[in-house]
Each structure stands twice: as structure tokens, then as C-alpha cells.
Amino acid sequence: MAEVGSGGGRTVRMSPDELPDPAVPLAPSELPDPAAVPEVPDLAAAPVAPETPEVPGAPDPNATQLCDPGAAVAAPTSVAARAARIPSVEDPALSGYAPPVPDGIDALSDPYFSPAAPEDLTEAQQVVSIQSPVESLSERKRRMSGWLIALIVVLVLAAAGGVAYLTYSMELWGGKTLPSVVGLSEQEARTRLESAGFSVEVEYRMGDENVGMVFDVRPSEGARADASRPVTIFVTGERLVPEVVGMTEEEATQALYDAGAADILVTRTNSEEEPGTVLSVDPPEGSAFASGDQITLTVAQPFTVPDVMGMTATDALVLLKSQNIVGHVTYVDSDEAGNTVVDVDPSVGAAIEPGTTVELSVSSPYPSEPTHLVDYFETAPEDLSAYLGDEGFSLVYGARYAHNGNAHAVYKGESGDMLHITDDPETAHYAGTSTGDVLAEGSGVGGVRYAFSAETLPEGGGRESEEGVRAVMEACGFEGLVDTCTQDDITVPEGVEVSDDYHFICAYGQQGDYTWAIRIGGSGESTGVVAMVAPTSHFESADLSLTGGSACDYIAYIDLFTG
């Protein structure tokens, strides 16, 4: 059942089936008789509401109304028309009761209420809003609590941050990470960067170490960088000798300094070019070099005698020839090293014409005498071979020691002197028929033994005394006598007998890095004078315990008693 309020305030209970359809207008025959409708008092004109009897359950007319009477839905065009639609209800209990003014809610629940007919809407009516005492569900949803809103905002921001971090770490934005390339070669670094999506530019910095390797990169390794902008790698480049030939000396020197050279040597050579013009550079142009390498500039100068003092004769002759000068060598005795230029004529720096002959005085590269045995060690083997040939010595035997490649050669002089080039000068043993000129082939000299003939023996050198020893020492250029021994005081290994046939004196001494020895005498009628020399290290390695630790006794024993 539904309760429908009437215009007079009476409640009429009707079932849903009995409610008229508000969308269907009533037929004229169904409308109540206007004459039967009681007159509706003019409430607006009544200053005071009439006294009404108290009716149980009736609404208090003085109570506050839920709705403003003026907030009713739009009324029909006239009061009479509205009154015509109100049914007549007679209720003695409500006699004299003035019902409250119907509001919009009452009208909507009135079974006799029907929408205004279009033909009645001849005038625009003011729309009246009705404030419902009940909040709608949508209104409640909109009135969300502040903490919930804050939570939602935090969650949204966190989700947005997570998405941003994930996409950033995936390098979908914010640039790409520069890979590590320092220490790689230029090509390796270029390949790695291009594979990561970067373009590459290269700058070279000249250096001495790690040439061709990357030593720096911009932006830095590991940084995020815009892949649309190039990455610069710094590579150590080779220092190259610049083109300086034809420049002046000053220009060439500055160019070399600019290229990183720190050690520049200027040499001058005779030339018909403008003096001061660079004729050549060493290392050649375009060659790689380190900053500490010496760069030599050859600069043109007028024809003068170049400085060849102290050069070897060979080097001096080569230099003179390169400057269109003829050189001539004269060997002289000198304290300087053999084969060294000790004087020049015209003098160094003197102005000359092209093709002039210059005399070079060179210290002799050969032994000053064939018997000056220490000089053999300071003579090149090739020069020594030529020298011995010039002095009339012929090769009797020639071979090499297998363990070190030194020469083992025997020469015989025109007067019968015997010269041995040997690692063991204390003995004259040799065997074989080989006659290779091993000195001419460059084999080294390990020791020298010289046996005098009667014709070459120095005066007094044949006497078996200290005076005879000193005569031979002078002939051989020996100095520094240390000790002597004879057949009377020699110490020999146990079991060796020194017979009365032996007669000799043996002496030894030290001169610089060499140990020399002289033996005068022999056994029976076999006698002779022998001088020998070897590096001191040779005798230090010998088994001197055989002769009581005496080098002199050891040399005499090996020479005379072992054949």
C-alpha cells in the first residue's frame, strides 16, 4: 500500500494497482465537480490561523515544515485549474482544520497529480529548486576523506616514480651510459662506442708511450650522455719527424721542438747550398721518435776542414769523402788508442776548396813492435792479420777454439821467430794442418806467446839472470815485475823430478788487466827465450795448487815439464 497525501492534508491509502498513472491525463468525466470542492481559504490573506481542534495523529500546523511552501513544483496556470484537480473529501473530524500548504513532495506523491499539460504552459514559470533532506549516494562518494586522497596521491606518485626509474634504467630516456674505453686501441674504442649508439670523434695527443691507445674520453666513462651528440676519445699519437729539409737551421729547430723533440744535434757539412740550410735530418722525415731521442740536423756550411779529431781513421776518411775532400792517412806513434786521428793538416775549420787533400795523422792501430805483445789485445784481429803479413810473418796453422771462437793461429817470422795466438800461451802445443786466416775473419785474441830467434833476441836477453829478464821485458814493453823462480827453488807437483838438466829463470808480472811471463833457459842443450801474456783472469782460473799457489812456478812447470 502507498500513502498518498491529498491537498487537504488527509492521507489516503491505496494499493499500487489503484494508483492512477501520472503520465495519463484524466478524462473530463473523471474530473471532480468543481462545485463540490469546498472553498479553499486564502491562507495568504489570513493573518492568524483559525483555532483547530486537537486531533490525535494529526500534524502540528505550527511545527516547522520540512519544505518551504514557496518551494513547491511549478503550479498550473490558475488556482481554479489546480483546485479543479483536488478531490472533495469530507471529514467531520477535520471540520475547521486548515491543512498546511501542500509542498512539492506532497504533490509528487498525490495520485491525482499529473504533469502540466503543454497547452497550460502559456507563460514561463520560475523554476523552483527543492532541497532534499536526504544526501544522494553520488554526493557521499564525492565527499572523500583527506587521508584517503593523500594516500591515493602518494601511491600515484610512487607508481609514476617507479615507472620513471625503470624506463630510465632501461635507457629509454635520459641518454645512454658511456662504456669503458680508456686503455683500448683507437679501433677497439670506436667499435665499442658505436655499438652503444654513440658517434665518435678522435683527438690525438703526441706521446712516447702507449701509442695508439685511448687515454681519456669526454664525457667521462660511466656517465649518461646524449647519444645524438658525439663522444670525443683522446688517443696517444706517434711523434713524427716533420719536414725540415730546406728550412733554415732556426726554422727546423723550432719545428722539431714543436713536434716534441728535446735533444737536437746540429752538424755542419761543406755544401754549395746556402749556408745555414738544412740538408738532411736523422731520423728521416716522417719517422717516429720519442721525445728523448736525439734528432740530428745536417746544415750547409762553406767548404772547411771538418772536425775529425779523435775519430778512427776509417770514419774520418768517410766524412771527408762525403764533403768532397780527399783524405790521406799517415800512421804515427802515439799514446792515443790505435787507429785514432791525432792531427790534421790543414787544421780543423780552415777554409778550403772542394777536392782539397787533407793529411790525417793516425795513431798506429798495430803493435808498435811485433814483440810488444800487450798491443795485440788492443788491435783489431783484421788489422793484426794485415800487420803480421806486413812484418814478414807467414801463417803456419790457423783454427778456432770451439768453446769461444777465439783464434788459435801460429805464425813464423822471416828470422825464425814463432808467434802463437792462443788461449793457453804457457804452452806451445798445437795440432793439425788447418791454415785458415782466422784473424782476418775476426776471431778474437785470447793470449799471445812469442819465441825469439837468435837474430831477434835483445842484447843480454839470453842470460839466465834477472838482468836477462829485464832486457826481454824492455823488448816486449812489459812492466810490473812481481816474482821470479829458477830450477833450484821451483815447486812442482808431487812425483815430478827436476833433474840437473834443467837450467832456467822464469819471471812474471802484472800490467793493467794482463799477466805476463818470461822464461829464459831450458833443459840440456835445448834452451830459448819465450815471452807470453794473457788476461789475468786466465791464470786466476788455473789450478795453481799444483805448484804451491805460485803463478811463476805454474807457468815454468807447464812450459818446461809438460812439453
Side-chain angles (χ1 to χ4, degrees):
M1 300 296 287
E3 295 183 358
V4 180
S6 68
R10 190 163 59 99
T11 300
V12 180
R13 297 181 180 274
M14 301 181 69
S15 66
D17 296 336
E18 295 173 333
L19 292 176
D21 186 354
V24 180
L26 297 175
S29 60
E30 297 175 334
L31 295 175
D33 184 2
V37 176
E39 182 179 355
V40 178
D42 188 0
L43 299 178
V48 179
E51 293 288 337
T52 58
E54 183 175 348
V55 179
D60 186 357
N62 297 320
T64 303
Q65 302 294 315
L66 294 176
C67 298
D68 185 355
V73 295
T77 305
S78 63
V79 175
R82 178 176 180 180
R85 295 191 177 104
I86 301 175
S88 175
V89 179
E90 294 182 0
D91 188 350
L94 299 178
S95 176
Y97 172 72
V101 178
D103 57 18
I105 296 177
D106 294 331
L108 290 175
S109 62
D110 191 344
Y112 298 100
F113 175 81
S114 62
E119 59 270 22
D120 293 337
L121 302 178
T122 58
E123 295 181 4
Q125 301 296 317
Q126 182 177 3
V127 178
V128 179
S129 62
I130 300 175
Q131 183 175 0
S132 173
V134 180
E135 291 180 345
S136 65
L137 182 60
S138 61
E139 183 69 19
R140 283 188 174 184
K141 290 183 178 180
R142 285 194 297 270
R143 294 179 61 182
M144 193 174 299
S145 61
W147 68 266
L148 183 58
I149 295 174
L151 177 61
I152 293 173
V153 170
V154 170
L155 293 176
V156 170
L157 292 177
V163 172
Y165 175 79
L166 179 62
T167 55
Y168 181 81
S169 62
M170 295 173 63
E171 299 189 348
L172 298 180
W173 62 278
K176 296 181 177 296
T177 302
L178 242 65
S180 175
V181 295
V182 172
L184 300 180
S185 67
E186 177 184 345
Q187 186 57 49
E188 290 172 337
R190 184 186 294 275
T191 300
R192 182 172 294 185
L193 287 169
E194 289 177 348
S195 297
F198 295 97
S199 59
V200 181
E201 293 182 352
V202 181
E203 290 190 17
Y204 296 96
R205 298 287 188 272
M206 300 303 104
D208 297 335
E209 298 179 352
N210 301 320
V211 173
M213 307 298 285
V214 176
F215 66 88
D216 197 5
V217 60
R218 291 290 182 274
S220 301
E221 293 178 334
R224 292 287 284 263
D226 186 355
S228 65
R229 308 187 70 171
V231 174
T232 302
I233 58 175
F234 297 87
V235 179
T236 304
E238 281 187 319
R239 302 184 191 276
L240 300 178
V241 177
E243 296 182 356
V244 294
V245 175
M247 291 183 177
T248 65
E249 178 183 340
E250 292 75 14
E251 292 171 341
T253 301
Q254 187 60 52
L256 287 171
Y257 282 137
D258 293 342
D263 185 2
I264 301 174
L265 174 65
V266 177
T267 63
R268 305 186 187 280
T269 187
N270 297 337
S271 174
E272 296 179 0
E273 295 289 335
E274 182 71 20
T277 301
V278 175
L279 302 177
S280 65
V281 60
D282 183 34
E285 295 174 339
S287 299
F289 73 97
S291 59
D293 293 345
Q294 186 177 81
I295 309 297
T296 302
L297 292 175
T298 301
V299 179
Q301 69 175 10
F303 276 89
T304 57
V305 175
D307 187 1
V308 294
M309 295 292 291
M311 290 185 177
T312 65
T314 302
D315 291 342
L317 290 173
V318 170
L319 177 59
L320 292 174
K321 184 177 181 180
S322 69
Q323 299 192 19
N324 198 18
I325 300 174
V326 178
H328 182 266
V329 174
T330 300
Y331 290 107
V332 297
D333 292 334
S334 172
D335 293 335
E336 299 294 330
N339 205 35
T340 300
V341 177
V342 295
D343 197 8
V344 60
D345 185 29
S347 60
V348 173
I352 57 174
E353 295 296 326
T356 300
T357 298
V358 173
E359 294 291 338
L360 300 177
S361 297
V362 179
S363 62
S364 175
Y366 313 119
S368 54
E369 296 290 341
T371 56
H372 282 197
L373 305 186
V374 175
D375 293 349
Y376 283 49
F377 295 96
E378 300 174 0
T379 303
E382 300 86 346
D383 292 336
L384 184 58
S385 175
Y387 170 75
L388 292 175
D390 292 342
E391 293 295 322
F393 285 84
S394 57
L395 182 63
V396 175
Y397 171 80
R400 289 188 180 88
Y401 287 100
H403 67 283
N404 60 11
N406 280 348
H408 188 191
V410 178
Y411 293 85
K412 185 176 182 178
E414 294 176 338
S415 59
D417 296 359
M418 296 298 294
L419 173 67
H420 293 245
I421 306 296
T422 173
D423 283 356
D424 301 303
E426 62 271 28
T427 179
H429 293 168
Y430 73 92
T433 58
S434 175
T435 56
D437 193 352
V438 291
L439 287 177
E441 295 171 359
S443 296
V445 176
V448 184
R449 177 186 178 94
Y450 193 95
F452 289 87
S453 66
E455 295 182 10
T456 59
L457 188 63
E459 184 178 354
R463 288 177 293 188
E464 298 176 10
S465 62
E466 185 174 337
E467 290 77 6
V469 168
R470 292 192 178 279
V472 177
M473 285 177 57
E474 184 178 356
C476 294
F478 291 155
E479 298 175 353
L481 177 63
V482 175
D483 192 16
T484 63
C485 64
T486 67
Q487 70 280 356
D488 296 330
D489 56 13
I490 186 173
T491 300
V492 296
E494 185 177 355
V496 176
E497 181 180 355
V498 180
S499 67
D500 294 339
D501 288 340
Y502 286 98
H503 52 92
F504 65 88
I505 182 172
C506 184
Y508 95 100
Q510 292 183 338
Q511 185 171 332
D513 295 330
Y514 302 97
T515 294
W516 56 263
I518 296 172
R519 185 264 296 171
I520 304 174
S523 175
E525 295 182 359
S526 177
T527 184
V529 177
V530 177
M532 63 194 78
V533 64
T536 299
S537 59
H538 168 71
F539 295 104
E540 289 176 345
S541 63
D543 186 8
L544 301 184
S545 64
L546 296 174
T547 57
S550 170
C552 185
D553 291 7
Y554 174 82
I555 293 170
Y557 163 71
I558 296 296
D559 182 30
L560 293 172
F561 291 84
T562 64

